[in-house]
């Protein structure tokens, strides 16, 4: 046992090297002769000397030696072979360990003619006949073979030459020349042996009964004392005769091959045996394995189901595709008698390999969500397959180095010695592609190519592994927006799904270069994307217009960077003062910007004019037109009163062929005697309507708000509200009904009492005739009301701020 074991199999000795012991090692195999010299077992020396080295059953190594092999020791009927194995972890065989194995086998009895058909050589061993000599014969002179046959050796009973019989000629080779040509020769006291590699020059291919044979016709001459003797050393071995049909191997061997039966007239079968791996199988064993052995008149046939017991599968690669071949090592022994040479023993060893059959590789992905690990199992494979590297994002990485890229790889072995490889990769590894799917789902894709090698053939193949896992961990980007006096701001908080999402305004990709062109501010720190856009810009939509407010909106879309599919929409809307549109400069220059509302898409801003239609805009964008002119030009009118001079003009838009404007923007500039000031203007599409007195019922509300923003009023459940002295109170008065844009709400008087009754005393006036009480230590402060989503009519609201106070009489607090 141990790393090597031996077994005697008739006229062969088999030494088997343990696959587990010598796995992953480089080997050097030698045979050691009686003097201790090691002869390396490399082809063609192995074929010439009667040795066969095979790799079977998933990298186990077998060494078979013939009974009359070179460097073996034959004594009586026992032959001994010593092999040396050097094993190293490196190809240069440094630090190699040496193992010796000697084994002896008894062989006998010998048949008159023995033939062996090994996988790499043919061998014929013939008993040689020695004629009797006269007992009283005395040689007068010593032998002088060299005078008659200088080539003959002086030793007694030595082989002299071989004659090869070929169709066109006969060729004789001396022993030394035959050996140099790759033939193996040996003699014993009773036998002459010739060993022939299949590749020898004198080997012929001959067909018999549709089966091709390797044939060598030869006669071997040897001398005994004064006699030169000849033996027939013809040999023939079948090289095909194998058929694969209906998942069955059929091996056919003709019984009496012409080179072996020349000059013979009668034959008699003595024995036909067959088996696997040089082990004879009984009829019962064959039946249990569903083998069939047929001994017919002219041929012997074996039928083996593909995949049956006794054979094994080994990995094969064809055109880069993974597959398998079934291999079985059969042997057939046929013994027969003929009327010429007596008993012949013919042993044929046949390693049969089925054609390539492609195999599918299973790839299983088991997601460990708690550890956020992808567990991908690839296989199963036969034991002769080894994973050598991975290609990760185009870079080949050896298996031991894969851990540096976040990959953990280990093999799994099963009871039948097959195996699989398990690859563990964190979901957050850089090479794992993340892609947003829908709602809260993300797709994780592992795309890696595995490279394998087969042993011992060193064939390589690759398997692409694409594993997909869907995980509910998507965090979508969110946004908040706000405005200052002149800009709209949008800040997007990136989630974990938009690494490749790009900002677009409609179909326009907002790059840093594009933003700079329009004086936009674009900042991206990886976690937040911030965009700032001026109120007057090409990509702002103007959705509402009133004398006191303009509603402006900015829309942004995030699109997939590869497919450009729309992923998320964001917007910010704000109310701006119309004063942003007009500048009344002290030198009498007016700069007015007209805007196009979203419902006026067909309006061409380049065709806007002032009252004097010759006055056209000096700057035009898709949504704005800016005019710059002097108050004494462009049809500007003026009015005087005691303190100011007011200039008035209009921005107009006319359809072709129509003198009635469909767009009117009236604006005013008022100048004091020694200063200029911007004053209100209004937009109208038609001339101002006349005002007529009328009577109706008004619905009003008075609310107290928590903050200056007037975004959240106190609810009834929160009263009474506790406030401290001088703390601000924010009041809002609103006209609820009627909702008529032509009405303006004006406050006249407002007072506070010490009780819920509005007529009780004492009282303190907060507003008097619409103005603050100038007797207050902290005067009432009015707050501007602008258009918003809640406030549709700013003119229907009044807001003011009062500091908290209490009623006192002398030095005492008055309480109800």
């Amino acid at each position: 046992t141990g790393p090597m074991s031996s077994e005697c199999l008739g006229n062969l000795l088999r030494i088997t090297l343990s696959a587990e012991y010598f796995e992953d090692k480089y080997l050097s195999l030698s045979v050691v002769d009686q003097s201790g010299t090691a002869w390396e077992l490399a082809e063609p020396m192995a074929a010439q000397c009667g040795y066969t080295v095979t790799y079977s059953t998933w990298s186990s190594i077998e060494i078979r030696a013939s009974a009359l092999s070179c460097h073996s020791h034959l004594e009586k009927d026992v032959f001994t072979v010593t092999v040396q194995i050097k094993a190293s972890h490196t190809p240069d065989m440094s630090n190699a360990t040496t193992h010796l194995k000697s084994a002896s086998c008894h062989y006998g009895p010998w048949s008159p003619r023995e033939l062996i058909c090994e996988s790499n050589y043919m061998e014929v061993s013939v008993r040689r006949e020695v004629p009797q000599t006269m007992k009283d014969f005395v040689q007068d002179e010593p032998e002088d073979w060299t005078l008659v046959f200088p080539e003959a050796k002086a030793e007694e009973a030595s082989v002299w030459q071989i004659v090869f019989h070929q169709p066109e000629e006969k060729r004789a080779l001396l022993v030394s020349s035959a050996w140099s040509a790759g033939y193996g020769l040996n003699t014993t006291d009773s036998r002459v042996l010739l060993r022939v590699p299949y590749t020898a020059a004198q080997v012929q291919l001959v067909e018999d009964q549709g089966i091709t044979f390797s044939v060598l016709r030869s006669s071997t001459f040897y001398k005994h004392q004064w006699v030169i003797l000849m033996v027939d050393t013809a040999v023939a071995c079948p090289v095909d005769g194998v058929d694969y049909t209906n998942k069955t191997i059929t091996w056919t061997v003709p019984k009496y091959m012409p080179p072996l039966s020349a000059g013979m007239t009668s034959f008699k079968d003595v024995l036909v045996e067959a088996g696997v791996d040089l082990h004879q199988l009984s009829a019962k064993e064959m039946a249990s394995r569903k083998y069939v052995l047929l001994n017919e008149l002219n041929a012997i046939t074996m039928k083996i189901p593909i995949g049956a017991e006794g054979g094994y599968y080994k990995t094969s690669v064809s055109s880069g595709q993974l597959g398998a071949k079934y291999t079985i090592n059969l042997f057939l022994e046929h013994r027969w008698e003929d009327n010429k040479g007596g008993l012949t023993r013919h042993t044929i060893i046949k390693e049969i390999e089925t054609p390539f059959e492609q195999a599918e590789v299973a790839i299983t992905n088991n997601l460990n969500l708690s550890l956020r690990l992808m567990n991908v199992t690839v296989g199963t494979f036969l034991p002769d397959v080894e994973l050598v590297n991975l290609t990760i994002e185009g870079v080949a990485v050896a298996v031991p180095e894969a851990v540096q890229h976040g990959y953990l790889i280990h093999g799994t072995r099963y009871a039948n010695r097959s195996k699989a490889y398990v690859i563990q990769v964190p979901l957050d590894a850089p090479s794992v592609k993340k892609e947003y799917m829908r709602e809260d789902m993300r797709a994780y894709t592992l795309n890696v190519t595995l490279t394998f090698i087969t042993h011992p053939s060193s064939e390589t193949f690759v398997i692409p592994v694409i594993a997909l896992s869907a995980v509910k961990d998507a965090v979508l980007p969110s946004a908040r927006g706000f405005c200052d006096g002149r800009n709209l701001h949008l800040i997007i908080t990136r989630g974990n799904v938009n690494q490749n999402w790009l900002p677009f305004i409609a179909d326009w990709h907002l790059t840093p270069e594009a933003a700079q062109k329009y004086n936009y501010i674009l900042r991206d720190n990886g976690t937040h994307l911030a965009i700032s856009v001026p109120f007057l810009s090409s990509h702002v939509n103007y959705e509402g217009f009133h004398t006191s407010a303009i509603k402006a909106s900015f829309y942004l879309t995030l699109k997939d960077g590869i497919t450009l599919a729309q992923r998320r929409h964001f917007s910010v809307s704000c109310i701006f003062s119309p004063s942003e549109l007009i500048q009344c400069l002290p030198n009498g220059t007016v700069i007015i910007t007209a805007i196009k509302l979203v419902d006026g898409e067909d309006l061409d801003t380049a065709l806007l004019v002032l009252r004097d239609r010759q006055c056209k805009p000096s700057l035009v964008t898709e949504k704005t037109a800016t005019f710059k002119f002097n108050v004494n030009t462009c049809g500007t009118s003026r009015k005087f009163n005691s303190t100011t001079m007011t200039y008035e003009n209009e921005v107009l838009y006319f359809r072709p062929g129509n003198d009635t404007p469909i767009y009117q923007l009236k604006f005013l500039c008022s100048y004091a005697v020694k200063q200029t000031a911007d004053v209100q203007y209004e937009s109208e599409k038609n001339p101002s309507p006349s005002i007529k007195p009328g009577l109706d019922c008004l619905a009003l509300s008075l609310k107290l708000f928590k903050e200056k923003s007037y975004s959240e009023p106190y609810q009834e459940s929160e009263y009474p509200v506790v406030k401290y002295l001088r703390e601000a109170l924010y009041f809002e008065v609103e006209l609820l009904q009627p909702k008529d844009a032509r009405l303006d709400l004006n406050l006249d008087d407002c007072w506070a009492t010490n009780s819920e009754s509005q007529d009780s005393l004492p009282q303190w006036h907060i507003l008097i005739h619409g103005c603050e009480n100038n007797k207050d230590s902290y005067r009432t402060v009015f707050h501007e009301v602008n258009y918003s989503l809640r406030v549709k009519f700013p003119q229907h609201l009044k807001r003011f701020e009062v500091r908290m106070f209490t009623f006192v009489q002398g030095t005492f607090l008055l309480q109800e």
Side-chain angles (χ1 to χ4, degrees):
T1 59
M4 293 180 284
S5 60
S6 63
E7 188 177 13
C8 298
L9 300 163
N11 50 3
L12 293 171
L13 165 67
R14 176 165 61 197
I15 297 176
T16 303
L17 278 60
S18 167
E20 289 79 9
Y21 184 87
F22 290 104
E23 187 176 19
D24 300 328
K25 294 184 176 70
Y26 296 90
L27 301 181
S28 172
L29 308 177
S30 303
V31 60
V32 181
D33 63 17
Q34 287 182 275
S35 67
T37 302
W39 302 82
E40 186 177 359
L41 284 177
E43 292 291 345
M45 178 271 192
Q48 185 178 29
C49 282
Y51 294 94
T52 303
V53 180
T54 64
Y55 296 84
S56 61
T57 53
W58 306 321
S59 74
S60 291
I61 300 176
E62 285 187 8
I63 303 172
R64 292 197 295 270
S66 170
L68 295 176
S69 58
C70 305
H71 315 302
S72 64
H73 176 60
L74 182 64
E75 186 173 352
K76 295 184 180 180
D77 290 330
V78 176
F79 67 97
T80 302
V81 176
T82 301
V83 295
Q84 172 185 280
I85 294 92
K86 289 186 177 182
S88 174
H89 289 283
T90 57
D92 61 2
M93 302 303 295
S94 60
N95 301 319
T97 57
T98 302
H99 305 267
L100 289 175
K101 177 69 177 181
S102 293
S104 300
C105 289
H106 180 270
Y107 179 72
W110 292 86
S111 298
R113 179 170 63 170
E114 299 210 358
L115 302 157
I116 297 178
C117 296
E118 254 288 9
S119 61
N120 59 333
Y121 65 85
M122 303 182 288
E123 182 180 284
V124 55
S125 167
V126 181
R127 183 172 62 198
R128 69 182 189 177
E129 304 292 343
V130 180
Q132 286 189 330
T133 58
M134 294 174 62
K135 295 182 180 180
D136 299 331
F137 177 81
V138 177
Q139 185 177 6
D140 294 329
E141 298 293 336
E143 291 185 52
D144 195 4
W145 280 91
T146 56
L147 296 177
V148 181
F149 301 110
E151 302 88 350
K153 294 185 178 179
E155 293 91 347
E156 188 175 321
S158 62
V159 174
W160 172 38
Q161 70 176 6
I162 304 170
V163 176
F164 298 101
H165 305 272
Q166 294 179 296
E168 64 278 2
E169 64 176 352
K170 292 183 180 180
R171 183 181 181 192
L173 289 180
L174 298 176
V175 171
S176 58
S177 300
W179 186 265
S180 299
Y183 295 94
L185 299 132
N186 201 352
T187 61
T188 68
D189 292 341
S190 60
R191 304 194 72 79
V192 173
L193 177 138
L194 173 65
R195 192 175 297 113
V196 184
Y198 286 101
T199 57
Q202 281 72 35
V203 170
Q204 304 169 52
L205 294 179
V206 177
E207 188 173 302
D208 181 44
Q209 301 181 41
I211 308 300
T212 303
F213 290 84
S214 283
V215 173
L216 181 75
R217 298 179 176 93
S218 65
S219 299
T220 301
F221 293 84
Y222 65 97
K223 78 178 184 67
H224 182 82
Q225 293 183 351
W226 308 278
V227 182
I228 292 180
L229 303 173
M230 182 195 76
V231 292
D232 182 2
T233 48
V235 65
C237 291
V239 295
D240 55 16
V242 181
D243 185 38
Y244 312 95
T245 54
N246 299 323
K247 298 290 184 180
T248 300
I249 300 170
T250 302
W251 180 32
T252 302
V253 180
K255 277 188 174 180
Y256 310 111
M257 292 159 265
L260 305 180
S261 57
M264 303 174 190
T265 57
S266 63
F267 303 92
K268 178 184 175 182
D269 280 343
V270 176
L271 178 70
V272 173
E273 290 182 338
V276 176
D277 293 330
L278 295 175
H279 288 284
Q280 178 198 346
L281 295 178
S282 66
K284 183 178 179 180
E285 289 173 318
M286 287 194 182
S288 70
R289 300 183 182 193
K290 298 182 180 181
Y291 293 4
V292 175
L293 177 63
L294 301 174
N295 183 10
E296 298 173 320
L297 180 62
N298 296 315
I300 302 169
T301 302
M302 284 192 74
K303 294 185 177 181
I304 311 292
I306 295 177
E309 179 186 353
Y312 63 95
Y313 283 97
K314 65 180 180 180
T315 303
S316 182
V317 180
S318 176
S319 300
Q321 296 297 312
L322 173 65
K325 295 180 179 179
Y326 174 74
T327 300
I328 188 166
N329 197 18
L330 299 176
F331 88 93
L332 176 68
E333 183 173 306
H334 181 205
R335 299 183 193 179
W336 76 85
E337 288 182 341
D338 56 62
N339 64 329
K340 183 179 179 182
L343 182 66
T344 295
R345 179 181 182 182
H346 195 183
T347 302
I348 304 172
I349 300 171
K350 185 72 171 179
E351 183 177 10
I352 296 177
E353 184 178 88
T354 61
F356 174 85
E357 184 175 348
Q358 188 169 340
E360 298 294 331
V361 178
I363 299 174
T364 307
N365 179 20
N366 296 309
L367 176 65
N368 187 331
L369 193 56
S370 60
L371 297 178
R372 291 183 63 79
L373 276 178
M374 297 179 77
N375 287 282
V376 181
T377 302
V378 183
T380 56
F381 300 100
L382 295 174
D384 56 357
V385 169
E386 180 188 3
L387 175 63
V388 290
N389 66 46
L390 304 82
T391 301
I392 305 170
E393 295 184 307
V395 179
V397 178
V399 171
E401 300 170 2
V403 67
Q404 301 173 14
H405 297 260
Y407 289 67
L408 295 177
I409 302 171
H410 64 272
T412 300
R413 292 189 179 271
Y414 302 103
N416 63 357
R417 293 189 66 194
S418 64
K419 60 184 176 182
Y421 288 94
V422 179
I423 304 171
Q424 292 184 331
V425 189
L427 289 177
D428 300 317
S431 59
V432 176
K433 180 184 177 183
K434 298 126 184 117
E435 187 176 11
Y436 173 63
M437 296 174 62
R438 62 186 182 278
E439 298 175 353
D440 57 351
M441 300 291 291
R442 276 202 299 176
Y444 290 83
T445 303
L446 172 67
N447 190 342
V448 62
T449 300
L450 309 182
T451 301
F452 297 85
I453 191 170
T454 63
H455 297 292
S457 58
S458 297
E459 295 177 299
T460 60
F461 62 94
V462 299
I463 296 179
V465 175
I466 300 177
L468 176 67
S469 295
V471 182
K472 289 186 176 182
D473 66 349
V475 178
L476 295 175
S478 58
R480 65 183 182 91
F482 63 94
C483 299
D484 55 26
R486 289 186 171 274
N487 300 281
L488 296 91
H489 305 277
L490 196 60
I491 299 177
I492 298 172
T493 302
R494 293 190 180 277
N496 59 10
V497 300
N498 61 318
Q499 289 81 1
N500 296 318
W501 292 2
L502 305 176
F504 276 79
I505 302 173
D507 293 327
W508 181 61
H509 182 199
L510 183 58
T511 63
E513 295 76 16
Q516 186 177 13
K517 175 182 176 182
Y518 285 89
N519 292 322
Y520 299 169
I521 297 176
L522 179 65
R523 297 183 298 273
D524 190 347
N525 64 1
T527 60
H528 292 81
L529 178 67
I531 304 105
S532 298
V533 179
F535 162 63
L536 293 176
S537 63
S538 300
H539 299 100
V540 171
N541 293 331
Y542 305 101
E543 300 172 351
F545 196 106
H546 193 268
T547 55
S548 59
I550 300 171
K551 181 182 179 183
S553 299
F554 174 66
Y555 296 88
L556 187 79
T557 301
L558 294 182
K559 294 185 179 183
D560 189 289
I562 299 174
T563 65
L564 295 183
Q566 296 184 3
R567 295 301 190 186
R568 293 284 280 172
H569 299 278
F570 299 109
S571 65
V572 55
S573 298
C574 293
I575 303 300
F576 288 87
S577 170
S579 61
E580 297 294 332
L581 303 179
I582 188 170
Q583 296 182 60
C584 300
L585 302 181
N587 63 358
T589 299
V590 178
I591 302 174
I592 178 70
T593 300
I595 58 176
K596 179 172 71 173
L597 300 180
V598 291
D599 57 1
E601 291 299 326
D602 61 341
L603 189 146
D604 185 353
T605 54
L607 300 180
L608 289 169
V609 295
L610 297 178
R611 285 176 179 170
D612 183 347
R613 297 190 189 184
Q614 298 302 314
C615 293
K616 303 184 183 305
S618 58
L619 178 64
V620 174
T621 68
E622 182 184 352
K623 297 178 182 178
T624 65
T626 301
F627 296 83
K628 184 176 181 180
F629 62 98
N630 188 272
V631 292
N632 296 318
T633 61
C634 296
T636 307
S637 62
R638 57 185 177 182
K639 296 180 181 178
F640 297 90
N641 61 24
S642 57
T643 58
T644 61
M645 178 180 294
T646 302
Y647 295 89
E648 179 182 305
N649 206 327
E650 296 173 291
V651 179
L652 305 170
Y653 184 80
F654 299 91
R655 291 192 185 279
N658 195 328
D659 288 334
T660 302
I662 63 168
Y663 177 96
Q664 284 183 283
L665 176 65
K666 183 183 292 186
F667 56 92
L668 308 171
C669 275
S670 295
Y671 292 88
V673 175
K674 291 185 179 180
Q675 63 181 5
T676 62
D678 296 345
V679 297
Q680 71 174 4
Y681 69 94
E682 63 183 10
S683 169
E684 61 183 10
K685 293 185 179 180
N686 297 302
S688 301
S690 59
I691 301 175
K692 297 181 179 180
L695 298 174
D696 200 351
C697 295
L698 301 178
L700 301 170
S701 72
L702 175 64
K703 295 179 182 178
L704 176 62
F705 283 76
K706 296 181 179 180
E707 295 177 345
K708 188 177 180 179
S709 63
Y710 287 87
S711 58
E712 185 180 358
Y714 285 99
Q715 305 299 320
E716 289 186 6
S717 60
E718 296 178 278
Y719 285 95
V721 176
V722 176
K723 293 288 183 177
Y724 297 96
L725 285 177
R726 299 179 183 174
E727 191 174 351
L729 302 173
Y730 302 100
F731 291 97
E732 180 187 87
V733 181
E734 182 178 6
L735 173 63
L736 301 177
Q737 292 293 338
K739 293 188 179 297
D740 189 337
R742 296 172 297 176
L743 297 177
D744 280 358
L745 174 66
N746 291 294
L747 301 182
D748 190 14
D749 292 325
C750 180
W751 64 92
T753 64
N754 199 33
S755 68
E756 293 182 359
S757 174
Q758 65 183 22
D759 298 322
S760 64
L761 296 174
Q763 297 179 353
W764 185 259
H765 284 271
I766 295 169
L767 298 176
I768 301 175
H769 302 307
C771 298
E772 65 269 23
N773 187 348
N774 55 17
K775 296 181 180 180
D776 263 338
S777 300
Y778 297 95
R779 295 190 178 185
T780 301
V781 178
F782 289 92
H783 293 299
E784 184 180 2
V785 181
N786 293 318
Y787 180 91
S788 68
L789 294 177
R790 185 174 74 87
V791 179
K792 304 301 182 184
F793 303 102
Q795 68 272 29
H796 289 186
L797 285 86
K798 287 293 185 285
R799 291 171 178 167
F800 55 93
E801 174 184 338
V802 178
R803 296 289 177 171
M804 182 64 187
F805 65 91
T806 186
F807 289 97
V808 296
Q809 185 174 4
T811 59
F812 297 97
L813 295 177
L814 294 181
Q815 296 182 354
E816 184 182 12

